[in-house]
Amino acid sequence: MKKISRRQFLAGAGMVLAANRLPQSWGKSPQVTLPIPKLLDGSQGTPIDLQIRSGTWSFKPGIKTPTLGFSQDYLGPTIRTRQNSELNLHYQNSWLENVAVHGHGLHVPGIVDGGPQLEIAPGDRWKPSLSIVQQAATCWYHSHTHGKTGEQVYRGLAGMIIIDDENSDSLNLPSRYGIDDLPIIIQDRTFDSEGELVYSLHDAHEDGWLGKTVVINGAISPVAKVPAGKVRLRLLNGANARFYIVQFSDNRTFYKIATDGGLLPAPVALTSMEMSPGERCEIIVDLEDVNPASLLTLFEDEFEDEEGLVENVLSLFNQTGTPLPEPSLTLIPDSSLSAHTEPLPQKLNSITRPSENEITVTRDFMLSMESEGGGHGHGEMEMMINGAVMNMNVINERVKKGIWERWRIRSDVGAHPFHVHGCSFLIEQMEGADTPVDQQGWKDMVVADDDDWATILVRFEHEATEKYPYMYHCHILEHEDLGMMGQFTVV
Ligand code: C2O
Ligand code: CU
Ligand code: CU
């Protein structure tokens, strides 16, 4: 996948890394513990209060940064729910701006989807009741306010949603929240000398707002004590614009078990994987050997040459003599904790693909960026899908409920993480090639590139009306805010 501008790691490796990977000007800090957002059980229908509010959060010990959160200073609680249950969310906007909150990955009707038509004014409440019909998955909720999504997510308006089902219960996967089943929200942030978050939609790079420092659940290079066995990480790329390469510093094998919308058919062994903004991957890492595991989240744009991503990123560090970057997260096994040591199940899920004669509609989506007057900042860029900038008064597509469709997505320049509301889909092709085995699960994110079509097979089971349509958009939040988004109904 090609980012819009490539940074040529091979040419200037040492300098790029030194500048980007150390927490800016803060130097080496004492190690902090991975913050684990509070877990709220929504599976019994008990209302979950989510107060949108400002706060202060210490990304760095001793420095207080003004932030936003849901009932906490930064980010929000993890909400746990189940297939065939009602999830009742009670939002209260105690902040100064309108906020819409979307349930990313949820299969719910447009009226409770939380798109920009559903903004909550300061002082107001919104109480959507969500019938959870979909299978076990890791989803998330985040601001979706018209033109303000990037800034509000950046300041903290995001949280995780975990859905369980009978299949996931029966599989004997690590599932003790905060112990061997960890929510891992990966973001990057830029701080000024006072420790305040720096953000400007207008000054964003054409790739979107790229933060300089990686934060995991709001902490810089935290450590987590875990049992000396199998540990499940629910990775969410919650960055505004970064694509990450995720791997361990010792190049150890891990197993990917789930994509955005559910478990994969079987675990897939990997040593490295890419994650686009908005994407979720559940992985299992084994710490039975009692060695600490250091998770790296490398900035993908630093490892690209003219052909795209370089093959073995870790070997580049050796070749160039560059020290490995600081881990984004270190897992430290503690053999006094009871560990999950049973082997991984061979079969996790069954996924049935539609046959060709079931696919009756094809739609094309062309993502484009046009600069007016040759400027480089976003202020001068027009972000479009099929030649149109997002307009709240225009329905771009009308879809029939319950019908399989083939959507073909492509861009005129660079890689864009394309997201569709209200569904999970299957990827048929990426960059003109067959879907890699670790992407053959249910998805709601697919990368659209400029050299060939990505194609997905999608079917919608819920209604989205003209008043409360669904969205499809680029999940680089600055592209979304600048118009790379469209609306569609399902009837
Ligand atoms: Cu995660 Cu329309 O967004
Ligand atoms: Cu979404
Ligand atoms: Cu984009």
Side-chain angles (χ1 to χ4, degrees):
M1 293 157 200
K2 280 182 269 129
K3 297 301 104 47
I4 293 147
S5 52
R6 274 153 245 150
R7 236 171 269 170
Q8 301 283 345
F9 177 92
L10 294 156
M15 274 149 57
V16 170
L17 289 166
N20 280 345
R21 298 294 304 179
L22 288 175
Q24 315 148 245
S25 72
W26 285 346
K28 194 104 179 127
S29 54
Q31 296 221 287
V32 293
T33 303
L34 175 72
I36 301 288
K38 182 145 107 204
L39 182 68
L40 299 179
D41 179 15
S43 67
Q44 303 305 313
T46 326
I48 294 202
D49 286 317
L50 296 166
Q51 189 193 14
I52 298 159
R53 63 163 177 88
S54 59
T56 54
W57 175 259
S58 292
F59 290 93
K60 156 91 180 174
I63 296 177
K64 290 211 180 302
T65 301
T67 47
L68 295 175
F70 294 99
S71 303
Q72 55 186 55
D73 287 310
Y74 182 72
L75 302 175
T78 298
I79 299 166
R80 184 157 222 159
T81 181
R82 287 188 72 78
Q83 189 177 37
N84 303 322
S85 69
E86 283 300 305
L87 175 60
N88 292 304
L89 302 177
H90 286 189
Y91 290 103
Q92 152 91 49
N93 186 353
S94 305
W95 190 49
L96 312 164
E97 284 180 3
N98 283 9
V99 179
V101 193
H102 165 59
H104 179 136
L106 299 185
H107 303 186
V108 296
I111 192 167
V112 289
D113 182 55
Q117 302 76 13
L118 286 156
E119 288 183 5
I120 315 164
D124 279 2
R125 291 169 181 277
W126 183 50
K127 301 182 174 181
S129 181
L130 313 179
S131 297
I132 304 298
V133 293
Q134 71 203 85
Q135 60 183 262
T138 301
C139 299
W140 59 306
Y141 58 106
H142 64 76
S143 155
H144 216 300
T145 315
H146 189 61
K148 288 262 179 187
T149 297
E151 171 145 28
Q152 292 182 354
V153 170
Y154 192 78
R155 300 205 183 279
L157 293 184
M160 190 175 275
I161 299 174
I162 296 175
I163 304 173
D164 301 314
D165 67 8
E166 279 174 17
N167 178 43
S168 68
D169 286 354
S170 74
L171 285 173
N172 194 19
L173 293 165
S175 53
R176 291 174 294 166
Y177 182 81
I179 299 171
D180 58 12
D181 181 352
L182 307 180
I184 304 292
I185 303 176
I186 309 165
Q187 300 172 312
D188 45 69
R189 297 292 180 257
T190 299
F191 301 92
D192 69 12
S193 55
E194 244 76 283
E196 296 200 6
L197 290 167
V198 181
Y199 185 83
S200 160
L201 175 59
H202 189 82
D203 296 335
H205 187 271
E206 58 190 353
D207 284 337
W209 189 262
L210 303 168
K212 296 196 170 114
T213 303
V214 172
V215 297
I216 305 286
N217 298 351
I220 300 166
S221 293
V223 299
K225 214 178 250 183
V226 294
K230 293 194 174 59
V231 174
R232 175 192 205 159
L233 303 180
R234 294 179 190 260
L235 303 170
L236 157 62
N237 181 346
N240 281 40
R242 286 268 183 212
F243 289 67
Y244 295 106
I245 303 166
V246 176
Q247 62 182 111
F248 290 91
S249 63
D250 57 4
N251 214 22
R252 72 173 65 198
T253 298
F254 57 89
Y255 294 86
K256 182 167 164 185
I257 58 164
T259 50
D260 304 316
L263 291 160
L264 280 161
V268 178
L270 297 172
T271 52
S272 147
M273 69 185 179
E274 299 170 53
M275 283 187 80
S276 74
E279 187 174 8
R280 287 88 65 212
C281 293
E282 291 180 34
I283 63 168
I284 302 279
V285 54
D286 203 329
L287 289 114
E288 242 175 296
D289 61 6
V290 202
N291 289 321
S294 297
L295 185 78
L296 304 176
T297 53
L298 305 169
F299 297 167
E300 194 186 294
D301 46 304
E302 291 176 354
F303 299 94
E304 290 178 322
D305 56 25
E306 289 310 313
E307 260 84 76
L309 195 61
V310 297
E311 273 282 324
N312 184 348
V313 163
L314 279 192
S315 71
L316 272 186
F317 288 91
N318 296 332
Q319 279 168 30
T320 56
T322 313
L324 275 183
E326 255 199 86
S328 296
L329 169 69
T330 307
L331 302 172
I332 301 181
D334 176 344
S335 35
S336 72
L337 301 170
S338 93
H340 189 294
T341 50
E342 292 92 87
L344 270 182
Q346 291 300 297
K347 180 175 192 278
L348 300 168
N349 202 358
S350 41
I351 293 177
T352 333
R353 302 188 150 246
S355 61
E356 191 55 40
N357 57 16
E358 287 179 84
I359 306 161
T360 50
V361 181
T362 300
R363 293 173 208 266
D364 287 354
F365 298 88
M366 184 69 188
L367 282 48
S368 64
M369 318 206 307
E370 255 167 42
S371 71
E372 295 169 347
H376 286 295
H378 260 150
E380 299 84 30
M381 304 286 289
E382 289 248 275
M383 305 278 171
M384 295 177 285
I385 298 182
N386 291 342
V389 170
M390 160 76 174
N391 179 340
M392 297 262 290
N393 301 312
V394 174
I395 299 294
N396 304 88
E397 302 289 332
R398 290 165 201 279
V399 173
K400 273 207 197 117
K401 195 161 129 180
I403 308 258
W404 280 104
E405 300 200 350
R406 173 176 282 118
W407 288 19
R408 310 195 313 150
I409 311 116
R410 181 168 189 168
S411 82
D412 69 343
V413 53
H416 301 260
F418 186 80
H419 169 55
V420 187
H421 285 211
C423 67
S424 300
F425 52 71
L426 295 168
I427 300 178
E428 192 178 36
Q429 286 211 323
M430 288 169 72
E431 300 181 64
D434 289 346
T435 315
V437 57
D438 72 297
Q439 300 276 355
Q440 291 178 12
W442 292 107
K443 294 278 300 165
D444 53 57
M445 300 292 323
V446 65
V447 177
D449 216 320
D450 52 16
D451 34 51
D452 213 332
W453 295 94
T455 60
I456 60 172
L457 303 176
V458 62
R459 183 170 69 173
F460 298 89
E461 303 293 356
H462 303 278
E463 195 168 80
T465 60
E466 301 234 346
K467 195 156 179 226
Y468 302 108
Y470 288 138
M471 315 281 118
Y472 50 80
H473 58 89
C474 176
H475 221 286
I476 292 177
L477 300 181
E478 291 68 38
H479 291 182
E480 173 187 343
D481 280 338
L482 291 167
M484 198 179 277
M485 174 151 69
Q487 311 193 93
F488 66 104
T489 56
V490 177
V491 288

